[in-house]
Amino acid sequence: MTRKHLLFPLGLLVFAFSLSAQPDIDRQVEELLAKMTLEEKAGQMMQLTADMLFDGAPYVLTNPRRIDPAKVEKVIKEYKVGSILNVPTGKVPNVTEWHDLISMIQQKAAETRLKIPILYGTDDIHGVNYCSDATLFPQPLAMASTWNPGLAEKVGAITAYEAKAASLTWNFSPALDVGRNPVWSRLWESFGEDVYMNKVMGVATVKGYQGDNFGAADKVLACLKHYAGYGWPVSGKDRTPAYIPEVQLRELFLPAYQATIDAGAMSLMVNSGEISGVPVHASKFMLTDVLRGELGFKGFVVSDWEDIILLHTRHKVASSVKEAVRIAIEAGIDMSMVPVTFEFRDYVVELVNEGQLSMERIDESVRRILNVKMLGGLFQKTVFDPNDYPLFGSDAHRAVSKQAALESVILLKNENEVLPLSKSSRVLVTGPTANTMRSLNGGWSYNWQGTEADNYQKDKNTILEAIRAKLGEDQVKYVPGSGYDEIIDIEAAVQATENVDGIILCLGELSYTEVEGNISDLNLPAAQHELAAALARTGKPIILVLAEGRPRLIRETAPYASGILATFYPGPEGGDALADVLFGDYNPDGKLALTYPKYPHSLTTYDHKHTEALSFGSGPVFDPQFTFGSGLSYTTFTYKNLRTSSPSLQAGGRLVVSVEVHNTGGRAGQEVVQLYTSDLYASVTPSVRRLRAFEKVSLAPGEYKTVSFTLEPKDLSFIGQDKKWVTEPGIFKIRIGELEADLKYED
Ligand code: BGC
């Protein structure tokens, strides 16, 4: 019997075990619940940040930070909080330090009356990024640019393994915030603008984190966030209002949640923003009717940071914090990420005693939290020995990070095949993103804003260091030229072009997240453009390397460059990956998971409506800088023989679409075969096209493969005027590459 055959029945066994264990767990939860006081129940619903256990004020950087025993006593013994989150402010713990911190916390919890273990949550969004010696990976938008869900699952599995090595069991990831506004400061935390991509990458990531059983020794509990519609603020600024009609909410934002809930996700975090005037933290419709009633979510719901308090102080829908607590719990929130005050528990107790909240509602939340703690195995084991995780931070894990980084690099322009460059070239490397790990890692890297990556990744190569390692020091000159938005020494950069064959111009962004990353102008800052313009006047060929978290507009800069590569935070191996692509050691195969806009007032997604591309001669047309799904290669691919297994599809039926993809160039490479459909006429205005399936294939020069996709009627469906999914009879166009076929759907 092969290993594969052996594994399958074992997987089934685990699944069968978890199903059969549920009645037992239910019984144990009820027994525990029956013993709990109201204060203990409210404590379970409360989450505080780790700083609340340390000396000094929360968020204030003091080094070294010391645990304050009186605070530990208060948080764990007196308030009996159910959960703690975050990295303590200050020096980032290594795996052993995490182990020691979690051991101390769980030891204290074991000394409480009911010995309920604490669920510790961290944002391990690209590896265990709050653990100084863990393996870090590309950020989600870069993972989406690989169009390789298998790789995303592997990355998720390694993240879970390394988290468990640090005794971290709950990961606030994946973000399923379909990134519909490219200005948004958290776009790079998403899988891009497409609903299908978010679904596929979300499911792969959850599978990687949780496998069949998130209580396993190498798995963690995933937390879907930020439910829902967080990625579409009108202004593009974080946590500002969104206006999302129910049709779009259901069609664009809920599918990724439905798919990941079906894949076993058992915790979920709420969108901090408001939709059509209702903060999601106060929305019973979203948190109970839709989430539980329709999507069938069985896990527990955690608020985002301080968001219950903000219902009073920021959103102004509650006249006091206590009223905010009532509204949020009534809406469906089970756990409050408070996270720096104690009043939540006392308000819950008062609200129940005053009859403003029912004990049944509180029991419901506590039951959900305890259920997840039991499923996660926390009542058996809370601390894991780092020595049992020999692959933690290993070369094998690093190799996966490098592969993911390579596959995330997107070649967007290659005039006269300027790329790959010869390794004997002499180059000038310049620009604000050339020599910093911040532009490769983004936020949530060692700290929230990712500002410390250069200190923690001294052994990793920036773009400049990677090019030097590849070509040798003598062949590479470096002048910063400009900072992110200030001129440094453009003249010196121009002078340094003497005696070089070409310029590698690294522009883009540093690291940021959330409100700190808000911008009022999507254009690349003027200083960066000026650097490009001055270098262009030298006449030397320019290769533009974009290292950024969102598509900063390059309409005026792009014409200066003969070659353009884009990265959306490819992680610590990103510098080496870029050098491999620049100098031909890797044939690029990344594709855009977003529409790269050209103009600030044309931020139209690829799946727009026909009327969004109206043209009456001089009117606006859909004219992005680069299209969704695009990305060049050093070889060429040709599509032939698009076929459907039948000219029509019936309700309940299936149809196979196949196409041949040929490598017609001279190099081996990978191509992403993308299948789009267009509904020609529909009762709700149809999108111009929609991505329905994709597959990445490797081809040697001269080789071809036939790729097949199976379509069902639901793959052609949309949300109708009655707010329900429907597939309407009629003609659909199927498109792969330049090829098209008609398909008739009959009810
Ligand atoms: C962010 C969440 C994150 C949470 C905990 C919030 O500010 O919006 O994405 O999971 O903090 O760190």
Side-chain angles (χ1 to χ4, degrees), residues 85 123 172 186 225-226 239 269 304-305 444 514:
L85 86 153
D123 294 271
F172 301 135
R186 306 191 77 174
K225 70 185 190 185
H226 308 79
R239 291 169 158 88
M269 193 187 293
D304 201 347
W305 189 273
W444 305 106
E514 300 189 41

Side-chain angles (χ1 to χ4, degrees), residues 354-669:
E354 290 160 9
Q356 295 199 61
L357 273 177
S358 72
M359 189 65 101
E360 288 71 42
R361 176 64 197 89
I362 299 302
D363 283 350
E364 194 174 44
S365 285
V366 178
R367 200 175 274 130
R368 290 169 183 154
I369 294 166
L370 293 177
N371 179 46
V372 170
K373 287 187 176 182
M374 285 194 186
L375 284 172
L378 282 178
F379 282 83
Q380 279 80 48
K381 194 170 162 69
T382 49
V383 179
F384 298 80
D385 183 348
N387 293 317
D388 292 338
Y389 296 82
L391 291 176
F392 177 92
S394 62
D395 282 350
H397 288 181
R398 192 194 58 77
V400 175
S401 180
K402 171 83 184 285
Q403 183 60 27
L406 285 167
E407 294 198 28
S408 76
V409 175
I410 310 162
L411 175 63
L412 291 170
K413 183 174 182 185
N414 197 9
E415 229 169 50
N416 303 321
E417 304 199 348
V418 61
L419 289 169
L421 300 172
S422 146
K423 285 183 193 155
S424 57
S425 324
R426 287 156 307 155
V427 296
L428 166 69
V429 178
T430 181
T433 60
N435 198 23
T436 172
M437 296 309 295
R438 288 183 61 187
S439 302
L440 298 174
N441 284 278
W444 305 106
S445 302
Y446 309 103
N447 65 14
W448 180 42
Q449 295 294 324
T451 50
E452 295 296 314
D454 286 309
N455 292 333
Y456 286 94
Q457 291 180 349
K458 288 201 188 331
D459 58 332
K460 301 289 175 187
N461 285 329
T462 62
I463 302 171
L464 169 68
E465 288 162 350
I467 294 172
R468 283 195 164 144
K470 183 89 57 193
L471 301 190
E473 300 269 332
D474 322 341
Q475 282 172 236
V476 185
K477 291 192 200 171
Y478 169 64
V479 177
S482 87
Y484 167 70
D485 58 2
E486 62 190 336
I487 289 170
I488 299 181
D489 46 5
I490 292 185
E491 211 25 61
V494 167
Q495 273 162 24
T497 59
E498 242 177 72
N499 301 326
V500 300
D501 303 310
I503 302 162
I504 299 177
L505 173 60
C506 304
L507 304 183
E509 302 185 312
L510 301 174
S511 61
Y512 55 84
T513 184
E514 300 189 41
V515 175
E516 274 74 353
N518 284 351
I519 48 170
S520 297
D521 186 352
L522 192 57
N523 283 300
L524 204 59
Q528 299 194 38
H529 176 72
E530 277 179 42
L531 172 63
L535 292 169
R537 287 191 288 273
T538 68
K540 294 278 160 98
I542 295 179
I543 306 300
L544 173 60
V545 173
L546 293 165
E548 55 191 0
R550 62 196 139 190
R552 300 302 292 261
L553 305 185
I554 53 166
R555 181 179 68 259
E556 283 157 10
T557 314
Y560 300 142
S562 349
I564 301 179
L565 290 167
T567 58
F568 297 100
Y569 299 138
E573 308 301 326
D576 286 333
L578 271 163
D580 284 0
V581 171
L582 282 166
F583 297 97
D585 290 332
Y586 189 79
N587 185 1
D589 51 41
K591 307 274 178 197
L592 285 175
L594 47 79
T595 303
Y596 205 113
K598 194 186 274 181
Y599 299 96
H601 305 302
S602 284
L603 305 180
T604 313
T605 53
Y606 87 93
D607 52 353
H608 58 84
K609 304 287 181 117
H610 289 273
T611 49
E612 288 177 87
L614 274 185
S615 173
F616 299 106
S618 60
V621 285
F622 181 61
D623 177 27
Q625 189 80 45
F626 304 109
T627 51
F628 176 87
S630 63
L632 304 167
S633 166
Y634 294 153
T635 188
T636 48
F637 297 102
T638 310
Y639 290 91
K640 293 184 189 158
N641 296 323
L642 175 63
R643 294 204 173 92
T644 56
S645 56
S646 150
S648 64
L649 176 65
Q650 281 79 32
R654 288 168 156 228
L655 179 110
V656 178
V657 180
S658 63
V659 72
E660 283 171 17
V661 51
H662 295 246
N663 183 345
T664 44
R667 286 190 63 143

Side-chain angles (χ1 to χ4, degrees), residues 724-741:
K724 296 204 168 71
W725 288 102
V726 61
T727 309
E728 286 180 349
I731 305 293
F732 291 77
K733 278 236 180 287
I734 295 177
R735 293 192 172 87
I736 299 181
E738 298 300 308
L739 305 179
E740 283 185 12

